[in-house]
PDB file of all heavy atoms in Angstrom:
ATOM      1  N   SER B  38     -16.826  -5.661 -18.020  1.00  0.00           N
ATOM      2  CA  SER B  38     -16.480  -4.620 -18.987  1.00  0.00           C
ATOM      3  C   SER B  38     -15.032  -4.164 -18.801  1.00  0.00           C
ATOM      4  O   SER B  38     -14.307  -3.959 -19.777  1.00  0.00           O
ATOM      5  CB  SER B  38     -17.435  -3.437 -18.832  1.00  0.00           C
ATOM      6  OG  SER B  38     -17.022  -2.376 -19.670  1.00  0.00           O
ATOM      7  N   LEU B  54       0.592   2.765 -15.932  1.00  0.00           N
ATOM      8  CA  LEU B  54       1.958   3.256 -15.701  1.00  0.00           C
ATOM      9  C   LEU B  54       2.671   3.684 -16.986  1.00  0.00           C
ATOM     10  O   LEU B  54       3.588   4.512 -16.962  1.00  0.00           O
ATOM     11  CB  LEU B  54       2.807   2.175 -15.023  1.00  0.00           C
ATOM     12  CG  LEU B  54       2.413   1.736 -13.613  1.00  0.00           C
ATOM     13  CD1 LEU B  54       3.447   0.739 -13.079  1.00  0.00           C
ATOM     14  CD2 LEU B  54       2.299   2.920 -12.668  1.00  0.00           C
ATOM     15  N   ASP B  87       9.249  19.000 -12.785  1.00  0.00           N
ATOM     16  CA  ASP B  87       8.065  19.064 -13.654  1.00  0.00           C
ATOM     17  C   ASP B  87       7.517  17.668 -13.928  1.00  0.00           C
ATOM     18  O   ASP B  87       6.299  17.462 -13.979  1.00  0.00           O
ATOM     19  CB  ASP B  87       8.417  19.769 -14.975  1.00  0.00           C
ATOM     20  CG  ASP B  87       8.546  21.279 -14.770  1.00  0.00           C
ATOM     21  OD1 ASP B  87       7.858  21.807 -13.864  1.00  0.00           O
ATOM     22  OD2 ASP B  87       9.329  21.919 -15.497  1.00  0.00           O
ATOM     23  N   VAL B 117      13.645  -0.090 -12.618  1.00  0.00           N
ATOM     24  CA  VAL B 117      14.874   0.095 -13.385  1.00  0.00           C
ATOM     25  C   VAL B 117      15.037   1.552 -13.785  1.00  0.00           C
ATOM     26  O   VAL B 117      16.130   2.139 -13.672  1.00  0.00           O
ATOM     27  CB  VAL B 117      14.866  -0.824 -14.639  1.00  0.00           C
ATOM     28  CG1 VAL B 117      15.924  -0.384 -15.638  1.00  0.00           C
ATOM     29  CG2 VAL B 117      15.083  -2.276 -14.225  1.00  0.00           C
ATOM     30  N   ALA B 123      18.735   7.718 -10.390  1.00  0.00           N
ATOM     31  CA  ALA B 123      19.738   7.763  -9.322  1.00  0.00           C
ATOM     32  C   ALA B 123      21.141   7.675  -9.913  1.00  0.00           C
ATOM     33  O   ALA B 123      22.065   8.351  -9.465  1.00  0.00           O
ATOM     34  CB  ALA B 123      19.489   6.619  -8.337  1.00  0.00           C
ATOM     35  N   GLY B 145      10.507  12.663  -0.428  1.00  0.00           N
ATOM     36  CA  GLY B 145       9.814  13.813   0.135  1.00  0.00           C
ATOM     37  C   GLY B 145       8.920  14.500  -0.889  1.00  0.00           C
ATOM     38  O   GLY B 145       7.771  14.857  -0.601  1.00  0.00           O
ATOM     39  N   GLU B 162      -2.787  26.648  -6.767  1.00  0.00           N
ATOM     40  CA  GLU B 162      -1.829  27.591  -7.334  1.00  0.00           C
ATOM     41  C   GLU B 162      -0.594  26.821  -7.752  1.00  0.00           C
ATOM     42  O   GLU B 162       0.447  26.863  -7.074  1.00  0.00           O
ATOM     43  CB  GLU B 162      -1.486  28.677  -6.309  1.00  0.00           C
ATOM     44  CG  GLU B 162      -2.671  29.575  -5.957  1.00  0.00           C
ATOM     45  CD  GLU B 162      -2.284  30.658  -4.948  1.00  0.00           C
ATOM     46  OE1 GLU B 162      -1.636  31.627  -5.355  1.00  0.00           O
ATOM     47  OE2 GLU B 162      -2.630  30.516  -3.766  1.00  0.00           O
TER      48      GLU B 162
END
Side-chain angles (χ1 to χ4, degrees):
Chain B
S38 174
L54 295 185
D87 285 331
V117 164
E162 294 181 76

